[in-house]
Amino acid sequence: MREPDNTVAIVKCPLCGGQSLRTAQRLGGFELFLCNACNYRFAYDAFNVKVDYNQLYESMDYLAEQVNPIEQDFEAENFALHPTYRPFFVQVACWPGATLLDFGCGVGRFCHAAASVGWSVSGIDTSEQAISVGRRKAAFPLRYGTLDDELSRGVTYDALTAFEVMEHVPDPVGTLKKMARLLRPGGHIFVTVPNWDSPEIRNAVRPDLIPPVHVGFHQKRSVKVMLEASGFRNVVLGEIGGFERKPGFRGLLSFIVRKCRGKILPPIGVWGHARK
């Protein structure tokens, strides 16, 4: 692993191009930079550190959260109810023949959910091992490769998704611009990222949640800036997890009581939906 270069104090924000300063905050041994213009935090010193995703996908956490659910008997429709995936199905309705590519699909859990509601779905991932595992249960194409490989196929889609992907890439805007080239005019882009406002993210120690695996840390504002800087329009934002307030007076009273008792934590994730 390359040692962090602590001599660089000011760099350009990967999202908005604004001036970003090195802070005293550290994750995984890396100091974070902060762009005051868009609130994006990033581990600049980890950008060129190579990550072995095949090894990452062998971790106990990944096996428990992603592999085991598809290796065992499962109902794909239940995956569509997962808090991370559910906002997509609320925001983007399927129609006959609609096509979808899931970038960073892993073993294909979201692909199963999308296929179950009618999408003509395929997935792509840079981990050969994840694709190999996913193909054992998939009735849809899962491909090992990069966005450049996908672009070379000359195929376009009605929707592209990237669940928990943008926090891994040093150049999210460049990545999203490539994804836009894979979308048909008016197509949908849907992304999710961990929410920096969540203590679970700010204080993470799991190797798969900190640099050099995660190199970017988002809040709602940075997700909006990222999508707009990539050329997308009609950006809509939302949150994953957290406390959902019930309607009416009793719902308001319950919300106030829980908040006073410190039982309402910030949502663990942020989602963004936009159009080409």
Side-chain angles (χ1 to χ4, degrees), residues 55-69:
Q55 182 179 16
L56 184 67
Y57 289 165
E58 292 175 351
S59 71
M60 295 301 294
D61 290 313
Y62 190 82
L63 289 172
E65 295 172 5
Q66 298 287 336
V67 177
N68 292 346

Side-chain angles (χ1 to χ4, degrees), residues 83-88 161-168 189-195 218 223 226 238 240 269-273:
T84 300
Y85 304 148
R86 185 172 57 195
F88 170 81
T161 53
F163 293 94
E164 314 299 316
V165 172
M166 291 303 136
E167 66 272 19
H168 293 267
I189 186 82
F190 191 93
V191 302
T192 69
V193 291
N195 180 16
H218 286 273
V223 174
M226 175 178 69
I240 299 167
V270 173
W271 59 261
H273 170 226

Side-chain angles (χ1 to χ4, degrees), residues 115-153:
S116 75
V117 299
W119 286 93
S120 176
V121 65
S122 56
I124 185 171
D125 200 283
T126 56
S127 169
E128 193 169 11
Q129 181 172 334
I131 293 298
S132 177
V133 171
R135 282 174 175 166
R136 296 202 288 261
K137 293 284 187 176
F140 39 78
L142 294 179
R143 291 183 289 276
Y144 164 64
T146 64
L147 283 176
D148 288 329
D149 295 327
E150 196 65 29
L151 285 165
S152 70
R153 298 179 67 243

Side-chain angles (χ1 to χ4, degrees), residues 88-100 113-121 158-159 188:
F88 170 81
F89 297 108
V90 173
Q91 291 290 311
V92 186
C94 185
W95 63 93
T99 58
L100 183 153
S116 75
V117 299
W119 286 93
S120 176
V121 65
D158 295 305
H188 299 265

